[in-house]
Amino acid sequence: MELPPCPPSLKSIQHFLKLAQEHDTRDVVIAYWARLYALQVGLKASTQTGEETKLLLGIMDWLEQMKKQYAENEAITNEVAAQAHIENYALKLFLYADKQDREENFGKNVVKAFYSSGVLYDILQTFGELSEEALHNRKYAKWKAAYIHNCLKNGETPIPGPLPDDDDEAELEGENANASADTSPEDAAGAAAPAPYQPEPDAQPPAPSSPTASGVVPPTAEEVLNNPNKLPSPPVDEEKPGGFVPYVPTAQPNPATAATIYQPIVPVAGVQITPDQMITAQKYCKYAGSALNYDDVKTAIENLQKALKLLSTGSE
């Protein structure tokens, strides 16, 4: 299904549509949620011209078609599974780009991986506020994409990793006071670079942002136009670097490593699991399933253990 062209008045959604198009045959889950977010932002930004309406209605038709075609795909119909899938995908891209950057393997693929990771973190706003890790990764990814892109364009050699003078967090926050997470690459190139987020050893995934694991249905134009404030603000237009092939790790932990990951869990007799705990356990399982899609056995084991511990003991 070919969508109408994006009019200049909806430039704020072009990068979401571009990401969706790149993933139509690669990952339909990413394509679906990228277009759904583009629709939400587009409906809020629309001035209701003929070109805009034609595009937005086309996206609605595409989403409905995909919902029917992939009715058995939980990452399409269930927001918990979808959030886990997109978070995992965004993090994989971010870690790949960061590794290549630190090894001084600069190029368009690295720029695109950083940039696409930042766009995916934008899309995650569909499910609610971003976690601290996601906010930090998004800001760093967008800054790095702009910085490396501009260095290559100007014939300069980029500095790998965070800039040397940006280790002090207080100074960093002060320098970035006027730079939002949605700053375009061209503008972000002049802003201070935050260091990549380093989670605590025992950090837990964020709690579910919704009270139930209900399916998500794209809003109708009438619903959004009647209450546009419920939708996220559209980001400004951003640089759109060249294409890339996403990084998919294949390394599997050896038996010795797996043995160190597994920790015996002693069930607590008569434990009562609350509805919120049940949802959290479900989310751990979704994270595990999403990790296995990328052959990330270690992360899958860790999340399954967290779910098992929560259900067995009533505590994390």
Side-chain angles (χ1 to χ4, degrees):
M1 180 177 178
E2 186 174 349
L3 294 173
C6 184
S9 56
L10 290 181
K11 289 178 68 175
S12 60
I13 70 172
Q14 280 184 338
H15 42 293
F16 301 123
L17 297 177
K18 187 178 191 319
L19 184 74
Q21 184 178 25
E22 291 170 348
H23 287 80
D24 276 332
T25 58
R26 184 184 303 162
D27 190 327
V28 68
V29 174
I30 299 299
Y32 179 87
W33 290 97
R35 285 199 176 96
L36 176 56
Y37 188 73
L39 174 64
Q40 294 176 333
V41 175
L43 286 169
K44 186 174 181 180
S46 174
T47 57
Q48 300 184 21
T49 65
E51 287 183 322
E52 293 172 350
T53 301
K54 187 177 180 180
L55 172 62
L56 297 176
L57 289 176
I59 296 175
M60 287 182 184
D61 290 341
W62 184 91
L63 291 169
E64 287 300 321
Q65 180 179 321
M66 291 299 104
K67 276 191 356 181
K68 294 176 182 177
Q69 183 175 345
Y70 294 96
E72 301 301 318
N73 189 331
E74 279 197 87
I76 295 287
T77 61
N78 184 290
E79 63 181 1
V80 175
Q83 183 176 3
H85 182 97
I86 300 171
E87 283 180 347
N88 192 44
Y89 192 89
L91 184 59
K92 295 293 182 186
L93 280 181
F94 180 85
L95 294 177
Y96 161 76
D98 187 52
K99 181 175 184 292
Q100 295 300 310
D101 172 52
R102 291 172 185 272
E103 293 176 354
E104 302 184 31
N105 296 324
F106 307 117
K108 289 184 177 180
N109 278 5
V110 176
V111 173
K112 182 62 177 178
F114 268 131
Y115 171 80
S116 296
S117 176
V119 173
L120 286 166
Y121 282 118
D122 283 335
I123 294 169
L124 281 168
Q125 293 175 110
T126 303
F127 311 106
E129 294 184 4
L130 297 181
S131 66
E132 180 184 354
E133 176 184 2
L135 285 169
H136 204 109
N137 285 355
R138 181 176 70 165
K139 181 180 290 187
Y140 184 82
K142 290 187 175 186
W143 173 82
K144 262 295 179 179
Y147 171 70
I148 298 175
H149 172 71
N150 288 339
C151 283
L152 296 177
K153 184 174 67 175
N154 297 328
E156 302 170 354
T157 301
I159 299 175
L163 293 181
D165 297 331
D166 293 314
D167 294 331
D168 183 73
E169 192 67 23
E171 180 181 352
L172 172 66
E173 291 301 323
E175 292 176 345
N176 280 332
N178 297 320
S180 71
D182 289 319
T183 302
S184 67
E186 293 295 337
D187 295 333
Y197 180 80
Q198 299 294 334
E200 297 296 327
D202 298 325
Q204 303 291 330
S209 58
S210 62
T212 63
S214 59
V216 175
V217 179
T220 65
E222 182 179 1
E223 290 172 336
V224 176
L225 291 175
N226 288 338
N227 195 2
N229 293 329
K230 295 178 67 175
L231 299 177
S233 299
V236 297
D237 185 38
E238 295 178 301
E239 186 77 26
K240 289 166 274 296
F244 77 107
V245 177
Y247 169 69
V248 179
T250 57
Q252 304 249 354
N254 58 39
T257 303
T260 61
I261 296 173
Y262 178 73
Q263 299 294 330
I265 296 171
V266 180
V268 176
V271 62
Q272 297 292 323
I273 303 299
T274 67
D276 285 344
Q277 289 175 324
M278 191 70 72
I279 294 172
T280 301
Q282 182 187 33
K283 187 166 185 178
Y284 284 138
C285 292
K286 298 300 182 183
Y287 274 117
S290 184
L292 289 176
N293 288 336
Y294 296 92
D295 298 330
D296 190 350
V297 177
K298 180 176 181 291
T299 299
I301 292 174
E302 290 173 346
N303 281 286
L304 288 173
Q305 271 203 289
K306 291 172 183 176
L308 182 60
K309 180 181 178 182
L310 180 57
L311 295 174
S312 300
T313 66
S315 65
E316 299 184 56

